Amino acid sequence: MKNFIAPSILSANFAELGKEVNDVILAGADIIHFDVMDNHYVPNLTVGPLVCKSLINFGVKKPIDVHLMTTPVDDLITQFCDAGASMISFHPEATQHVDRSIELIKSKNCKAGIALNPASPLSLLDHILDKIDFILIMSVNPGYGGQKFIDNSLDKIKKCKEMIDNSGCNVEIEVDGGIGIKNIKTIHDAGANIFVAGSAIFNTENYEEAISKMKQEISA
Ligand code: DX5
Ligand code: ZN
C-alpha cells in the first residue's frame, strides 16, 4: 500500500495557518491532518469547518483529513464535507448510530474512517469493516499534541492489519500520536500506511528534513 505522511495542524502556528500548511505541503506532506476538538469529548478546543474552508480557499489542494474528537458528530460531518474535507474520521463512542454516521460521510463522497482510542477494542469494527475506507488507531489519548507513543499500540496495529487482510476488505490504517523519525518504521512494519505527525514536524526548524527522513525510514 502507498504510504502517506499527514502532518497534524495541532502543532502548527495557528496565527499563520495557511502558510504553515503550504510549507508542509512544499516539504512533502501528502495529507493535511485536521484535529477537531470540542472541549467536551476531549479536554481541549480547536477549530471548525470555517477554518477548513479557509484553507481550501487559500489554495490548499492536498486532501484534508478531518479527525473529529467531538460528540455528537453528524452535524459536523455535514459541515466539514460541505467545507471541502476529503476524509473524515470519528470515534464510535461519540455517536449514537455509527453505521448512520459512516453512511452520512460516504453520501457526501468523502472517505470514512473510524478512530479508536488506546483502550477501544478492535471489536468495535465488527459489522462495519466493509463500509469504511480507513481506521485511525490512536497511539495516544486524544486531546493534545506532543504526547508519548503508547507502545502496546503496535500490537493493536498488527491485529488490525490481520483482521483487514482476513476480511478481504480494502481498508487503510492510519496511526495518530507520538510518531517521529525514531519509531515510524516499526509502526509501518506493524501494518500502518498513513502516519500522522504533529510535533515531530511542526516543532522542528526544517519541515522538509523531518518529512524526508520519515519517508526514508519507511521505504528502507
Ligand atoms: C491528538 C491528535 C493528534 C496529535 C498528534 O488528539 O489527534 O493528531 O496532534 O500530535 P503528535 O504527533 O505531536 O503526537
Ligand atoms: Zn488526530
Side-chain angles (χ1 to χ4, degrees), residues 33 35 67 69 176 196:
H33 187 78
D35 284 308
H67 175 193
M69 287 162 276
D176 184 5
V196 176

Side-chain angles (χ1 to χ4, degrees), residues 110-142:
C110 243
K111 286 191 174 178
I114 290 290
L116 296 180
N117 286 329
S120 298
L122 291 173
S123 59
L124 287 170
L125 302 167
D126 288 352
H127 318 294
I128 51 173
L129 210 48
D130 57 329
K131 301 188 172 184
I132 56 178
D133 299 291
F134 66 103
I135 296 161
L136 190 163
I137 297 188
M138 293 295 307
S139 39
V140 298
N141 286 294

Side-chain angles (χ1 to χ4, degrees), residues 50-118:
L50 271 176
V51 177
C52 177
K53 186 140 188 43
S54 299
L55 287 177
I56 287 169
N57 290 343
F58 191 66
V60 171
K61 299 274 186 304
K62 291 285 178 189
I64 297 192
D65 166 33
V66 172
H67 175 193
L68 289 179
M69 287 162 276
T70 68
T71 184
V73 301
D74 288 354
D75 257 6
L76 285 172
I77 287 173
T78 306
Q79 291 187 48
F80 272 107
C81 290
D82 294 346
S86 300
M87 303 161 67
I88 299 189
S89 61
F90 65 88
H91 291 254
E93 300 91 344
T95 185
Q96 297 275 3
H97 304 287
V98 173
D99 185 277
R100 179 177 287 150
S101 300
I102 293 169
E103 291 301 334
L104 182 59
I105 299 173
K106 295 193 355 183
S107 73
K108 300 270 187 179
N109 292 321
C110 243
K111 286 191 174 178
I114 290 290
L116 296 180
N117 286 329

Side-chain angles (χ1 to χ4, degrees), residues 7-24:
S8 156
I9 61 161
L10 194 59
S11 292
N13 175 1
F14 275 92
E16 293 197 307
L17 191 58
K19 178 178 182 301
E20 287 272 74
V21 169
N22 275 347
D23 286 352
V24 283

